[in-house]
Amino acid sequence: MTRTVAVTTLGCKVNQYESSALATLFRERGYKVVDFNEPADIYIINTCTVTHLGDRKSRQLIRRAARRNPRARLVVTGCYAQISPEEVLSIPGVDLVVGTRDKFRIVDLVEELLEGERQPGAVVRDVFQDVDFEDPPVPALPSRVRAFLKIQEGCNNYCAYCIIPYARGPLRSRDPEKVLAEARELVAGGFKELVLTGIHTGAYGQDKPGSLDLAGLMEQLALIPGLLRLRLSSVEPMDITDKLVDVMATSPNICRHLHIPLQSGDDTVLARMRRHYTTGWFRELVQKVRERLPGVAITTDIIVGFPGETDSQFENTFNFVREMAFARLHVFKYSPRRGTAAASFPDQVSAPVKEARSRRLIALGEELACSFAASHIGREVKVLVEEELPGMQGFYTGLTDNYLRVSFPSREDVVGQLVTVKVAEARGPDLKGWII
Ligand code: 5AD
């Protein structure tokens, strides 16, 4: 009988990419991939540990899988598995814990377990040993239209709050020829948009002197015939070079969208976070980007309640975020991570204060997202259509290059096409309109 496997994911775009790669690997080996809410023989939980909420949600998903089919094999991988293997293994029902370095060997590991050749336990290696870029075995396809392309792994920055360098190891870049080859294959396979992902994507090429940097790589990728859109997922402010902005401005298929994690709008807090820029410098960067890329969507991440953050330092962040008028905000409550510098800083901020700051900033983020969307009412925008809205026949949805979701009715099936839509109204941060 065909074995069934279900994969679920927490956390970042790289994890999403890797989960679809895992599903494809199982499919290629003859397994049937089913939804995580269905009974399956094997459950794969691809976890996140960026904050303690990542850990908690990971544990919840593991327990849910155990309840759904008590006889199923539970396999836990990802950053939480890498950082806390013993904790994961102690959850009832967990059979295998697979660290970030062995993720793509997961089918072999599962089969060894099923054949009785491997005892339940953890397969976790040192992330600082033998660190070449591990080419993903297969591409990841979140929709029929858009594909993720992982170009880089790891990070050497060691921001004071962040555990990810310990979970994924040092910076390593994928060979540009391999990136280009995979991109051409994806486009030949019908994909219209490629999203470049990585852990510290902006540092692409820095580990290989003389190799292409991110701007150079994007310039090459943008030339692939048939590629309607090339999108960048997240870039650190220090990595946004003039050349990168230039390439974005001159390549018509590169999306006007930059996710630039700010983390704090207070210079003292930024320095203690070990972020190597000031708000003044960031302001100039944003001005420059907006001049060169009119209409650009600039989105960001903010951490509230970093150790020692005072009320007035938080006010500085609040005011700076409003001044920068980000198109979208991801707000994180600071979570001490074992082994990071900031975990042992004095003056940890209390949970209720973090909660209150987070709520205020989330509300501001919603306000900013709505006004960014509303500024498009009455305009014509280009939408790459992703799908028919589930349960709404004749209604389609997709994204603009500057990351606005637009829905509209259409008599024809326009999935995969770049269509022009006249925006009629905004519904919160999303838009509705008419195809023209
Ligand atoms: N606590 C809270 N947020 C964190 N992030 C990273 N580490 C932590 C932490 N310890 C946030 C940062 C980063 C995003 C992916 O997660 O804002 O940009």
Side-chain angles (χ1 to χ4, degrees):
M1 234 189 46
T2 312
R3 287 178 180 143
T4 54
V5 60
V7 184
T8 192
T9 317
L10 284 162
C12 64
K13 289 220 165 65
V14 175
N15 251 17
Q16 291 173 35
Y17 172 99
E18 290 171 350
S19 284
S20 16
L22 292 178
T24 309
L25 283 179
F26 276 102
R27 219 175 271 123
E28 283 178 349
R29 297 273 287 263
Y31 291 72
K32 182 169 182 240
V33 177
V34 300
D35 193 87
F36 193 74
N37 295 315
E38 287 176 36
D41 300 320
I42 303 143
Y43 288 101
I44 311 285
I45 299 104
N46 192 5
T47 60
C48 169
T49 196
V50 76
T51 68
H52 72 284
L53 287 179
D55 295 357
R56 188 190 295 163
K57 288 181 194 161
S58 300
R59 289 193 297 269
Q60 282 166 354
L61 286 173
I62 295 165
R63 286 195 293 260
R64 193 179 306 162
R67 276 197 304 273
R68 194 148 299 135
N69 178 6
R71 284 196 311 270
R73 303 302 176 119
L74 297 196
V75 182
V76 183
T77 187
C79 292
Y80 178 43
Q82 176 70 39
I83 295 289
S84 312
E86 296 307 323
E87 192 174 306
V88 174
L89 215 45
S90 72
I91 303 172
V94 172
D95 294 284
L96 268 188
V97 175
V98 180
T100 52
R101 300 301 302 282
D102 293 286
K103 244 184 195 178
F104 296 137
R105 282 178 57 217
I106 216 161
V107 187
D108 283 338
L109 296 173
V110 166
E111 296 202 332
E112 287 167 19
L113 181 80
L114 292 169
E115 305 304 323
E117 293 160 9
R118 168 174 291 282
Q119 293 307 306
V123 184
V124 173
R125 282 187 289 157
D126 181 347
V127 294
F128 297 100
Q129 296 281 315
D130 313 317
V131 284
D132 280 342
F133 184 89
E134 302 94 342
D135 277 302
V138 282
L141 318 171
S143 78
R144 279 160 60 201
V145 177
R146 197 147 46 121
F148 292 137
L149 187 48
K150 180 174 161 186
I151 64 169
Q152 178 279 331
E153 171 66 285
C155 179
N156 297 342
N157 263 15
Y158 294 92
C159 298
Y161 47 81
C162 190
I163 191 140
I164 300 308
Y166 306 95
R168 289 190 175 262
L171 169 70
R172 54 243 195 238
S173 304
R174 191 172 184 192
D175 178 3
E177 289 310 318
K178 291 187 178 157
V179 175
L180 283 159
E182 183 169 330
R184 285 192 200 99
E185 241 172 77
L186 288 166
V187 174
F191 288 90
K192 310 293 182 195
E193 176 171 324
L194 299 181
V195 184
L196 302 184
T197 66
I199 296 300
H200 181 181
T201 315
Y204 180 82
Q206 284 174 15
D207 53 322
K208 292 183 180 163
S211 172
L212 285 181
D213 61 5
L214 181 63
L217 180 72
M218 290 186 76
E219 198 171 18
Q220 300 281 313
L221 286 167
L223 295 174
I224 296 175
L227 178 61
L228 296 184
R229 279 184 179 176
L230 180 61
R231 194 183 291 279
L232 201 49
S233 54
S234 179
V235 241
E236 293 297 332
M238 325 60 111
D239 299 325
I240 303 180
T241 58
D242 289 347
K243 187 172 154 206
L244 181 67
V245 180
D246 255 7
V247 168
M248 293 182 76
T250 50
S251 311
N253 53 353
I254 298 185
C255 295
R256 293 168 304 159
H257 176 201
L258 281 170
H259 184 79
I260 318 178
L262 168 66
Q263 312 299 6
S264 168
D266 178 88
D267 289 341
T268 315
V269 176
L270 282 174
R272 281 190 295 113
M273 285 177 161
R274 303 193 183 149
R275 304 286 293 173
H276 303 289
Y277 54 86
T278 60
T279 49
W281 181 87
F282 191 95
R283 178 187 288 114
E284 274 176 31
L285 174 72
V286 165
Q287 271 163 6
K288 193 167 66 184
V289 167
R290 287 197 166 128
E291 270 161 33
R292 285 293 274 143
L293 305 169
V296 64
I298 300 181
T299 55
T300 201
D301 292 344
I302 301 286
I303 298 175
V304 296
F306 186 75
E309 185 187 62
T310 63
D311 283 340
S312 76
Q313 288 168 341
F314 172 71
E315 289 309 318
N316 287 344
T317 294
F318 188 89
N319 293 329
F320 190 69
V321 164
R322 185 156 51 196
E323 181 196 336
M324 290 299 103
F326 292 107
R328 203 164 278 231
L329 215 57
H330 292 171
V331 180
F332 296 83
K333 283 181 276 189
Y334 171 71
S335 169
R337 308 278 71 203
R338 206 183 313 129
T340 61
S344 51
F345 284 3
D347 304 323
Q348 298 284 327
V349 175
S350 74
V353 170
K354 284 185 207 170
E355 181 61 34
R357 291 179 186 169
S358 162
R359 277 171 200 259
R360 276 189 61 202
L361 214 50
I362 288 172
L364 173 63
E366 282 165 4
E367 194 186 309
L368 294 174
C370 291
S371 54
F372 183 67
S375 72
H376 291 72
I377 295 173
R379 289 207 238 161
E380 286 175 15
V381 296
K382 288 249 187 306
V383 178
L384 181 58
V385 186
E386 270 167 59
E387 57 171 7
E388 193 169 20
L389 278 169
M392 288 188 66
Q393 226 190 342
F395 281 84
Y396 292 82
T397 180
L399 290 174
T400 63
D401 76 321
N402 59 356
Y403 215 52
L404 288 163
R405 180 154 295 283
V406 185
S407 332
F408 57 89
S410 166
R411 237 166 284 163
E412 260 175 76
D413 180 350
V414 282
V415 172
Q417 293 180 30
L418 203 53
V419 301
T420 304
V421 174
K422 173 121 176 152
V423 178
E425 58 173 315
R427 282 285 173 86
D430 299 332
L431 299 173
K432 294 187 167 200
W434 308 100
I435 193 164
I436 53 177

